[in-house]
Protein backbone atom coordinates (compact mmCIF):
# COMPACT_ATOMS: atom_id res chain seq x y z
CA UNK A 1 0.00 0.00 0.00
CA UNK A 2 2.85 2.38 0.71
CA UNK A 3 4.03 2.14 -2.89
CA UNK A 4 0.64 2.93 -4.44
CA UNK A 5 1.25 6.67 -4.17
CA UNK A 6 4.32 6.17 -6.39
CA UNK A 7 2.39 4.03 -8.91
CA UNK A 8 4.51 1.02 -8.01
CA UNK A 9 3.48 -2.47 -6.98
CA UNK A 10 5.41 -5.44 -5.63
CA UNK A 11 4.25 -8.66 -7.25
CA UNK A 12 6.89 -10.67 -5.42
CA UNK A 13 8.41 -9.11 -2.32
CA UNK A 14 11.47 -11.36 -2.39
CA UNK A 15 12.38 -10.67 -6.00
CA UNK A 16 11.05 -7.15 -6.61
CA UNK A 17 12.13 -5.37 -3.43
CA UNK A 18 15.76 -5.01 -4.52
CA UNK A 19 15.00 -4.09 -8.12
CA UNK A 20 14.46 -0.65 -9.56
CA UNK A 21 13.42 2.08 -7.12
CA UNK A 22 10.99 0.01 -5.04
CA UNK A 23 13.15 0.14 -1.92
CA UNK A 24 13.91 3.84 -2.35
CA UNK A 25 10.23 4.83 -2.44
CA UNK A 26 9.28 2.41 0.33
CA UNK A 27 11.79 4.02 2.69
CA UNK A 28 10.78 7.54 1.63
CA UNK A 29 7.15 6.75 2.44
CA UNK A 30 8.16 5.67 5.96
CA UNK A 31 10.60 8.49 6.75
CA UNK A 32 9.17 11.40 4.77
CA UNK A 33 12.64 12.28 3.50
CA UNK A 34 14.61 11.31 0.42
CA UNK A 35 17.95 9.51 0.54
CA UNK A 36 19.64 11.34 -2.32
CA UNK A 37 22.43 8.80 -2.69
CA UNK A 38 19.94 5.93 -2.94
CA UNK A 39 18.53 5.34 -6.41
CA UNK A 40 17.83 2.21 -8.43
CA UNK A 41 19.13 -1.18 -7.31
CA UNK A 42 19.41 -2.40 -10.89
CA UNK A 43 22.92 -3.21 -12.05
CA UNK A 44 24.45 -3.14 -8.57
CA UNK A 45 26.83 -5.75 -7.22
CA UNK A 46 26.05 -7.65 -4.02
CA UNK A 47 28.50 -5.46 -2.10
CA UNK A 48 26.90 -2.27 -3.42
CA UNK A 49 23.47 -3.55 -2.42
CA UNK A 50 24.74 -4.34 1.08
CA UNK A 51 26.11 -0.81 1.41
CA UNK A 52 22.76 0.67 0.46
CA UNK A 53 20.92 -1.55 2.92
CA UNK A 54 23.23 -0.17 5.63
CA UNK A 55 22.28 3.36 4.54
CA UNK A 56 18.61 2.45 4.70
CA UNK A 57 18.88 0.96 8.20
CA UNK A 58 20.60 4.13 9.46
CA UNK A 59 17.85 6.24 7.90
CA UNK A 60 15.11 4.13 9.51
CA UNK A 61 16.80 4.40 12.90
CA UNK A 62 17.24 8.17 12.62
CA UNK A 63 13.52 8.53 11.88
CA UNK A 64 12.32 6.27 14.68
CA UNK A 65 11.02 3.51 12.41
CA UNK A 66 13.53 1.01 13.81
CA UNK A 67 14.88 1.09 17.38
CA UNK A 68 18.41 2.41 17.76
CA UNK A 69 19.60 -0.90 19.19
CA UNK A 70 18.23 -2.97 16.29
CA UNK A 71 20.56 -4.55 13.76
CA UNK A 72 20.11 -5.81 10.22
CA UNK A 73 22.51 -8.20 8.51
CA UNK A 74 22.81 -6.59 5.08
CA UNK A 75 24.60 -9.65 3.67
CA UNK A 76 21.66 -11.90 4.51
CA UNK A 77 19.13 -9.34 3.36
CA UNK A 78 20.47 -9.20 -0.21
CA UNK A 79 20.84 -12.98 -0.46
CA UNK A 80 18.18 -14.59 -2.68
CA UNK A 81 17.60 -18.29 -3.24
CA UNK A 82 16.38 -17.59 -6.79
CA UNK A 83 19.61 -15.76 -7.62
CA UNK A 84 21.63 -18.65 -6.23
CA UNK A 85 19.66 -21.15 -8.29
CA UNK A 86 20.12 -19.07 -11.44
CA UNK A 87 23.89 -18.94 -10.91
CA UNK A 88 24.06 -22.66 -10.21
CA UNK A 89 25.10 -22.08 -6.60
CA UNK A 90 23.88 -24.14 -3.60
CA UNK A 91 20.42 -22.86 -2.70
CA UNK A 92 20.05 -21.39 0.79
CA UNK A 93 16.67 -20.08 1.95
CA UNK A 94 18.13 -18.31 4.98
CA UNK A 95 18.22 -14.97 3.14
CA UNK A 96 14.58 -15.30 2.04
CA UNK A 97 13.44 -15.91 5.61
CA UNK A 98 15.51 -12.99 6.84
CA UNK A 99 13.86 -10.60 4.36
CA UNK A 100 10.44 -11.49 5.77
CA UNK A 101 11.73 -10.95 9.31
CA UNK A 102 12.97 -7.46 8.47
CA UNK A 103 9.80 -6.61 6.54
CA UNK A 104 7.73 -7.72 9.53
CA UNK A 105 9.52 -5.10 11.62
CA UNK A 106 8.39 -2.43 9.16
CA UNK A 107 4.86 -3.82 9.07
CA UNK A 108 4.82 -3.84 12.88
CA UNK A 109 5.68 -0.14 12.85
CA UNK A 110 2.60 0.53 10.71
CA UNK A 111 0.38 -1.67 12.88
CA UNK A 112 1.36 0.26 16.01
CA UNK A 113 0.85 3.52 14.14
CA UNK A 114 -2.75 2.60 13.30
CA UNK A 115 -3.37 1.10 16.76
CA UNK A 116 -2.38 4.42 18.37
CA UNK A 117 -5.09 6.13 16.33
CA UNK A 118 -7.70 3.35 16.35
CA UNK A 119 -10.17 5.03 18.73
CA UNK A 120 -9.96 8.29 16.83
CA UNK A 121 -10.47 6.60 13.45
CA UNK A 122 -13.55 4.81 14.85
CA UNK A 123 -15.11 7.94 16.31
CA UNK A 124 -18.78 8.47 15.53
CA UNK A 125 -18.61 12.25 15.17
CA UNK A 126 -17.80 13.16 11.56
CA UNK A 127 -16.66 16.65 12.52
CA UNK A 128 -14.02 15.20 14.83
CA UNK A 129 -12.94 12.62 12.26
CA UNK A 130 -12.37 15.28 9.62
CA UNK A 131 -10.16 17.45 11.81
CA UNK A 132 -7.01 15.37 11.25
CA UNK A 133 -6.73 13.47 7.96
CA UNK A 134 -5.14 10.04 8.26
CA UNK A 135 -1.63 10.10 6.88
CA UNK A 136 1.18 7.69 7.63
CA UNK A 137 3.97 9.39 5.69
CA UNK A 138 5.59 11.95 8.02
CA UNK A 139 6.23 15.54 7.07
CA UNK A 140 9.76 16.06 5.71
CA UNK A 141 12.27 17.60 8.08
CA UNK A 142 12.54 21.33 7.27
CA UNK A 143 15.89 22.82 6.42
CA UNK A 144 17.56 24.85 9.15
CA UNK A 145 16.97 28.58 8.61
CA UNK A 146 20.05 30.59 7.78
CA UNK A 147 20.93 33.68 9.78
CA UNK A 148 20.50 36.87 7.78
CA UNK A 149 22.92 39.76 8.05
CA UNK A 150 21.43 43.22 8.14
CA UNK A 151 22.90 45.22 5.29
CA UNK A 152 23.96 48.80 5.91
CA UNK A 153 24.82 51.42 3.37
CA UNK A 154 28.50 52.30 3.16
CA UNK A 155 27.78 55.74 1.73
CA UNK A 156 27.01 57.45 5.03
CA UNK A 157 30.57 58.66 5.58
CA UNK A 158 33.67 59.68 3.74
CA UNK A 159 37.07 58.10 3.61
CA UNK A 160 38.25 54.54 4.23
CA UNK A 161 37.92 54.87 8.01
CA UNK A 162 34.16 55.36 7.83
CA UNK A 163 33.74 52.40 5.50
CA UNK A 164 35.74 50.03 7.71
CA UNK A 165 33.81 51.10 10.79
CA UNK A 166 30.44 50.48 9.18
CA UNK A 167 31.55 47.10 7.83
CA UNK A 168 32.55 45.96 11.32
CA UNK A 169 29.24 47.17 12.72
CA UNK A 170 27.24 45.31 10.08
CA UNK A 171 28.97 42.06 11.01
CA UNK A 172 27.54 42.31 14.52
CA UNK A 173 24.01 42.99 13.33
CA UNK A 174 22.64 39.52 12.55
CA UNK A 175 18.94 38.84 12.35
CA UNK A 176 18.13 35.56 14.07
CA UNK A 177 15.46 33.62 12.18
CA UNK A 178 13.52 31.27 14.44
CA UNK A 179 12.47 27.94 12.98
CA UNK A 180 8.77 27.13 13.00
CA UNK A 181 7.72 24.27 15.32
CA UNK A 182 8.16 21.00 13.47
CA UNK A 183 6.06 17.89 13.92
CA UNK A 184 6.47 14.69 11.95
CA UNK A 185 2.72 14.14 12.24
CA UNK A 186 0.84 17.39 12.95
CA UNK A 187 -1.90 17.09 15.60
CA UNK A 188 -0.72 13.61 16.56
CA UNK A 189 -1.24 14.39 20.27
CA UNK A 190 -4.86 15.34 19.61
CA UNK A 191 -5.48 12.08 17.77
CA UNK A 192 -3.80 9.93 20.41
CA UNK A 193 -5.73 11.46 23.30
CA UNK A 194 -8.76 9.37 22.26
CA UNK A 195 -6.78 6.25 23.14
CA UNK A 196 -8.36 4.60 26.17
CA UNK A 197 -5.22 2.71 27.12
CA UNK A 198 -2.40 5.08 28.04
CA UNK A 199 0.64 2.94 27.36
CA UNK A 200 4.25 3.93 26.83
CA UNK A 201 5.70 3.04 23.45
CA UNK A 202 8.05 0.45 24.94
CA UNK A 203 5.07 -1.27 26.57
CA UNK A 204 2.86 -1.48 23.48
CA UNK A 205 1.15 -4.85 22.92
CA UNK A 206 2.59 -7.10 20.25
CA UNK A 207 1.53 -6.35 16.66
CA UNK A 208 -0.58 -9.52 16.66
CA UNK A 209 -2.42 -8.42 19.81
CA UNK A 210 -3.01 -4.97 18.32
CA UNK A 211 -4.53 -6.50 15.19
CA UNK A 212 -6.82 -8.75 17.22
CA UNK A 213 -7.93 -5.84 19.38
CA UNK A 214 -8.85 -3.71 16.35
CA UNK A 215 -10.56 -6.60 14.56
CA UNK A 216 -12.61 -7.51 17.66
CA UNK A 217 -13.75 -3.93 18.02
CA UNK A 218 -14.87 -3.82 14.39
CA UNK A 219 -16.72 -7.11 14.82
CA UNK A 220 -18.57 -5.73 17.85
CA UNK A 221 -19.59 -2.67 15.85
CA UNK A 222 -20.70 -4.87 12.95
CA UNK A 223 -22.75 -7.14 15.22
CA UNK A 224 -24.32 -4.12 16.92
CA UNK A 225 -25.38 -2.74 13.53
CA UNK A 226 -26.85 -6.09 12.51
CA UNK A 227 -28.81 -6.33 15.76
CA UNK A 228 -30.12 -2.79 15.34
CA UNK A 229 -31.21 -3.50 11.79
CA UNK A 230 -32.89 -6.73 12.86
CA UNK A 231 -34.78 -4.95 15.62
CA UNK A 232 -35.80 -2.22 13.21
CA UNK A 233 -36.95 -4.77 10.64
CA UNK A 234 -39.06 -6.61 13.21
CA UNK A 235 -40.60 -3.34 14.35
CA UNK A 236 -41.46 -2.41 10.76
CA UNK A 237 -43.02 -5.79 9.98
CA UNK A 238 -45.10 -5.76 13.17
CA UNK A 239 -46.33 -2.24 12.63
Amino acid sequence: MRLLQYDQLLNNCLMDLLTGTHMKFLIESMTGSSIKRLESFDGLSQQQKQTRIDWIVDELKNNGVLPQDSSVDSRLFVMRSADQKEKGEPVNFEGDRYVFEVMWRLVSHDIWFVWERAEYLQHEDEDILCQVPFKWTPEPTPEKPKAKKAKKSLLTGFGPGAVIEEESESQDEIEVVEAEPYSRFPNADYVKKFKKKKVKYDDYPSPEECIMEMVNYQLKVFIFILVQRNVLWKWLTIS
Side-chain angles (χ1 to χ4, degrees), residues 146-164:
K146 297 180 180 179
K148 297 180 180 179
K149 287 186 178 181
K151 296 182 179 180
K152 293 181 64 176
S153 173
L154 301 180
L155 302 178
T156 55
F158 298 94
V163 174
I164 294 174

Side-chain angles (χ1 to χ4, degrees), residues 71-73 76-77 94-102 105:
S71 61
V72 174
D73 189 330
L76 272 180
F77 192 87
E94 186 179 4
D96 296 346
R97 289 192 293 268
Y98 192 72
V99 170
F100 286 118
E101 290 178 9
V102 176
R105 297 190 208 177

Side-chain angles (χ1 to χ4, degrees), residues 2-214:
R2 282 189 170 275
L3 292 177
L4 289 178
Q5 59 182 317
Y6 304 102
D7 294 326
Q8 296 197 18
L9 180 65
L10 292 180
N11 294 317
N12 185 319
C13 178
L14 285 175
M15 299 307 300
D16 296 345
L17 193 59
L18 295 185
T19 61
T21 54
H22 291 132
M23 180 64 84
K24 171 182 172 64
F25 290 129
L26 174 62
I27 302 307
E28 287 185 7
S29 74
M30 303 197 77
T31 63
S33 57
S34 174
I35 309 177
K36 295 181 180 179
R37 54 185 176 174
L38 178 64
E39 294 297 337
S40 174
F41 271 77
D42 291 342
L44 299 181
S45 65
Q46 291 294 95
Q47 183 58 51
Q48 289 174 323
K49 290 179 180 179
Q50 290 181 39
T51 300
R52 280 148 183 78
I53 294 301
D54 291 334
W55 294 347
I56 288 170
V57 172
D58 290 339
E59 191 73 14
L60 293 173
K61 287 182 179 181
N62 293 336
N63 285 273
V65 178
L66 290 178
Q68 288 293 333
D69 59 353
S70 61
S71 61
V72 174
D73 189 330
S74 57
R75 182 190 64 83
L76 272 180
F77 192 87
V78 301
M79 187 187 299
R80 295 291 183 277
S81 59
D83 294 338
Q84 295 169 340
K85 185 176 181 180
E86 184 178 345
K87 295 177 182 178
E89 300 175 354
V91 177
N92 187 337
F93 293 98
E94 186 179 4
D96 296 346
R97 289 192 293 268
Y98 192 72
V99 170
F100 286 118
E101 290 178 9
V102 176
M103 293 305 296
W104 175 245
R105 297 190 208 177
L106 302 184
V107 172
S108 298
H109 172 269
D110 284 347
I111 292 173
W112 283 320
F113 182 86
V114 176
W115 180 79
E116 289 175 332
R117 295 154 174 78
E119 279 79 357
Y120 174 77
L121 295 173
Q122 296 162 345
H123 204 283
E124 298 178 355
D125 192 327
E126 295 180 358
D127 293 333
I128 292 178
L129 271 177
C130 293
Q131 288 191 28
V132 183
F134 179 79
K135 179 183 179 182
W136 59 7
T137 298
E139 295 292 328
T141 305
E143 296 182 359
K144 294 182 179 180
K146 297 180 180 179
K148 297 180 180 179
K149 287 186 178 181
K151 296 182 179 180
K152 293 181 64 176
S153 173
L154 301 180
L155 302 178
T156 55
F158 298 94
V163 174
I164 294 174
E165 181 181 355
E166 291 186 3
E167 284 182 343
S168 62
E169 289 176 357
S170 65
Q171 291 176 358
D172 296 333
E173 295 182 12
I174 298 178
E175 180 184 354
V176 179
V177 181
E178 294 184 0
E180 296 182 359
Y182 166 70
S183 174
R184 287 169 53 80
F185 294 99
N187 300 315
D189 291 338
Y190 171 78
V191 171
K192 293 178 183 179
K193 78 176 184 179
F194 291 88
K195 194 73 185 172
K196 296 177 181 178
K197 298 179 180 179
K198 305 300 180 182
V199 185
K200 294 182 179 179
Y201 186 81
D202 293 337
D203 298 327
Y204 277 11
S206 68
E208 295 87 348
E209 291 174 326
C210 291
I211 291 176
M212 290 303 300
E213 180 181 321
M214 291 186 286

